[in-house]
Amino acid sequence: MTDRHGLAPTASFSAAPRVIRLHPEDNVVVALDQLLSGTLVRGENVVVSGLVPPGHKMATREIAVGEVVRRYGQIIGFASVAIRAGQHVHTHNVTMGEFSRDYAHAAETRATPAASQPATFQGIVRKDGRVGTRNYIGILTTVNCSATVARAIADRFRRDIHPDALGAYPDIDGVVALTHDAGCAIDAKGEGLRILQRTLGGYACHPNFAAVVVVGLGCETNQISKLLASQGLTHDDRVHSYTIQDVGGTTNAVERGVGLVRSLLPSANAVQRQSVPASHLVVGLQCGGSDGYSGISANPVLGAAVDLLVRHGGTAILSETPEIYGAEHLLTRRARAPDIGRKLVARIQWWEEFCARNGAEMNNNPSAGNKAGGLTTVLEKSMGGIAKGGTTSLNEVYEYAQPVAAKGLVFMDTPGYDPVSATGQVAGGANLICFTTGRGSAYGCAPSPSIKLATNTALWERQADDMDLNCGTVLSGERSIAELGEELFRMMLSVASGERSRSEQHGYGQNEFVPWQISVVT
């Protein structure tokens, strides 16, 4: 078991050369420094055999063929060959395997005490009572065929191209075009179209948008009228739409959109941030470009911040179903009720069947970069990834892009691919994203700001231009997980109040809108 911050209570840092033991039952430790052959690791009383890169694992005892390999006190794989004490443990000698998990639904659920002094941030309260952290105008498309027009409209309001385009409207964060490559040649009654419509609907009514303009071609499967009807949306002062074919072609469509946006600017700018409780924060949790340190530093730091957020009445969305695979039993045990745990298991089973139908395997994840950073199997990645969710009870499970209504920690079924996963979270209502990375992902997610956490100091020093918080100080012992969790929670409140994150400063966000596509294209 791990403590409230995601580390084992007995986690210890050895004297140089530095390694981390995460649990007494583990038969591997994680190298903080490159371990050279012949070096004695004193804390483990093991001599290194070969080379072990930083972030990778070293065996602390003999591991027989077929024996389980444990990290975090949990199974992360099975030895494919005999492994000697001191050897590098990775893909060359560890493989996946089947093993039973005791789901024990709701056995470990517990109440989370509310904070005595509720935290607040400066939010934007919309007419329906929902609270935004940003104030954008969005250009959405029903189909790929209208993407060029949507981008042309948004480009007319880009401050870097036209500095005075929004000069009179300082309280508008921007005009963004969120385009995609779907919307036609798919089953009009299929799940794929329902997912796309649910995603677009979630963005259309998102509190970070003051208004949206939906642009279609006119003859696509994803008709504007059906899209709006399916999501309970109507044309009003927030939602506007038209098609290229109806207005007479590309030039007219661009000018129509530009005119609509200009008419919306005064009302969109007429907002004032006001103090609101942190309970209005809905934070999507992401990890991308993970490494062997992700589950030791940045993910537990994010988990500690999530625990604080939940205490203050907020919501955190854990996702990336293939990246909790093999660790889902740790969540089902924390489910608020048995049926919530069973919902999660049903999504895991759907993924197993989905991969089998398509000739794929769940262990396709981790990626090449993850493996280079020290992650060996999806089981190991899952154990680290789940730490982002902290320690509170799991209160609900949602399908992709479904509106999130529950408070506290919830789970949304998404792929592990970060842009697709975060797109679903934002469609569900996330008004802030927290994203951990060990390899150096560059990412943003308009209209919701994204906070980037570096797992190690080397990454922070190399790519500080993209990072908001260095969690490598956990590895060096300079800062505790609890201290950084508190700092991150305060950063969440600051960014939600309008402070721009690094990814926002770079203009990330428009190209990262990627709805999940599961339909057959005909």
Side-chain angles (χ1 to χ4, degrees):
M1 296 298 295
T2 58
D3 70 9
R4 65 182 296 271
H5 304 306
L7 283 177
T10 53
S12 59
F13 294 77
S14 301
R18 300 177 304 159
V19 298
I20 299 177
R21 168 174 285 280
L22 295 173
H23 194 278
E25 295 180 8
D26 290 352
N27 49 16
V28 298
V29 291
V30 179
L32 282 174
D33 307 302
Q34 182 162 277
L35 305 180
L36 302 177
S37 188
T39 303
L40 174 64
V41 179
R42 297 184 186 279
E44 297 293 334
N45 196 30
V46 172
V47 176
V48 181
S49 176
L51 183 70
V52 181
H56 286 238
K57 297 174 293 299
M58 181 195 74
T60 58
R61 62 170 179 80
E62 306 287 324
I63 305 175
V65 177
E67 186 180 349
V68 299
V69 178
R70 291 187 184 273
R71 180 183 173 183
Y72 306 102
Q74 301 286 335
I75 296 171
I76 65 166
F78 299 82
S80 56
V81 298
I83 304 172
R84 299 194 307 275
Q87 283 190 322
H88 181 204
V89 176
H90 201 29
T91 53
H92 62 288
N93 53 18
V94 177
T95 187
M96 283 279 286
E98 294 295 326
F99 65 99
S100 62
R101 273 95 81 186
D102 181 4
Y103 290 127
H105 296 292
E108 297 175 9
T109 188
R110 56 187 174 84
T112 299
S116 57
Q117 185 68 35
T120 61
F121 68 98
Q122 296 297 305
I124 300 168
V125 181
R126 302 298 183 187
K127 288 181 180 179
D128 62 3
R130 294 195 301 166
V131 176
T133 62
R134 291 296 182 269
N135 190 38
Y136 282 98
I137 292 175
I139 315 297
L140 304 180
T141 60
T142 58
V143 67
N144 178 254
C145 308
S146 53
T148 297
V149 166
R151 292 192 185 109
I153 295 167
D155 283 349
R156 297 277 278 275
F157 298 92
R158 281 177 54 180
R159 289 186 174 95
D160 57 335
I161 298 176
H162 308 290
D164 297 326
L166 295 174
Y169 306 103
D171 293 320
I172 297 176
D173 290 299
V175 178
V176 292
L178 302 180
T179 65
H180 56 90
D181 58 0
C184 201
I186 59 176
D187 183 0
K189 297 181 180 179
E191 180 66 13
L193 183 59
R194 287 196 294 273
I195 287 175
L196 177 60
Q197 291 177 334
R198 198 161 65 221
T199 304
L200 293 170
Y203 274 74
C205 64
H206 197 282
N208 284 5
F209 280 131
V212 296
V213 177
V214 183
V215 183
L217 174 61
C219 57
E220 62 270 23
T221 302
N222 189 26
Q223 290 285 299
I224 290 177
S225 59
K226 292 181 179 179
L227 164 64
L228 298 182
S230 72
Q231 302 306 304
L233 298 172
T234 58
H235 291 105
D236 54 22
D237 58 350
R238 288 196 72 257
V239 179
H240 307 262
S241 70
Y242 63 92
T243 70
I244 297 170
Q245 292 168 355
D246 282 345
V247 300
T250 298
T251 300
N252 287 345
V254 172
E255 293 307 316
R256 173 70 172 271
V258 170
L260 269 173
V261 172
R262 284 177 177 155
S263 71
L264 294 168
L265 292 175
S267 59
N269 192 65
V271 296
Q272 288 188 333
R273 287 183 179 269
Q274 61 190 75
S275 181
V276 296
S279 56
H280 288 288
L281 271 183
V282 182
V283 181
L285 314 178
Q286 289 290 320
C287 56
S290 300
D291 66 356
Y293 301 130
S294 294
I296 303 172
S297 61
N299 289 355
V301 165
L302 180 50
V306 165
D307 284 351
L308 290 173
L309 175 65
V310 172
R311 285 191 60 203
H312 287 272
T315 303
I317 308 173
L318 183 64
S319 297
E320 302 174 296
T321 313
E323 296 183 12
I324 66 151
Y325 183 70
E328 70 273 11
H329 59 289
L330 301 181
L331 287 174
T332 60
R333 290 169 170 268
R334 291 160 49 189
R336 178 176 52 82
D339 65 311
I340 294 172
R342 286 190 282 269
K343 281 186 187 179
L344 182 61
V345 174
R347 300 318 302 166
I348 292 287
Q349 292 170 342
W350 183 92
W351 274 96
E352 290 175 328
E353 294 164 3
F354 181 63
C355 287
R357 287 198 308 269
N358 289 279
E361 58 181 38
M362 296 292 280
N363 200 42
N364 182 55
N365 195 334
S367 68
N370 297 154
K371 292 176 180 177
L375 293 175
T376 302
T377 67
V378 69
L379 302 176
E380 180 181 15
K381 188 175 184 180
S382 295
M383 290 296 169
I386 212 168
K388 300 193 301 295
T391 64
T392 62
S393 295
L394 178 67
N395 287 337
E396 191 52 275
V397 173
Y398 294 95
E399 294 191 26
Y400 186 85
Q402 281 187 325
V404 172
K407 294 291 187 179
L409 177 67
V410 303
F411 188 86
M412 177 180 285
D413 180 27
T414 77
Y417 184 39
D418 311 308
V420 179
S421 180
T423 294
Q425 292 176 331
V426 174
N431 52 18
L432 181 68
I433 297 290
C434 284
F435 190 120
T436 70
T437 182
R439 304 291 292 170
S441 294
Y443 182 77
C445 194
S448 296
S450 177
I451 299 173
K452 300 293 289 299
L453 286 69
T455 71
N456 62 86
T457 299
L459 168 61
W460 172 260
E461 293 174 345
R462 183 176 69 250
Q463 207 171 326
D465 192 42
D466 292 309
M467 300 295 138
D468 297 287
L469 183 66
N470 177 23
C471 298
T473 52
V474 170
L475 304 176
S476 63
E478 300 169 68
R479 303 286 300 280
S480 72
I481 288 171
E483 289 172 339
L484 278 179
E486 174 73 26
E487 182 176 337
L488 174 57
F489 179 61
R490 297 300 163 189
M491 184 180 290
M492 289 179 184
L493 298 175
S494 296
V495 172
S497 298
E499 181 180 310
R500 298 176 73 210
S501 67
R502 299 297 297 181
S503 64
E504 290 182 286
Q505 294 171 33
H506 289 305
Y508 281 101
Q510 292 190 86
N511 296 322
E512 290 75 18
F513 176 73
V514 188
W516 188 15
Q517 295 183 37
I518 64 172
S519 279
V520 174
V521 177
T522 57

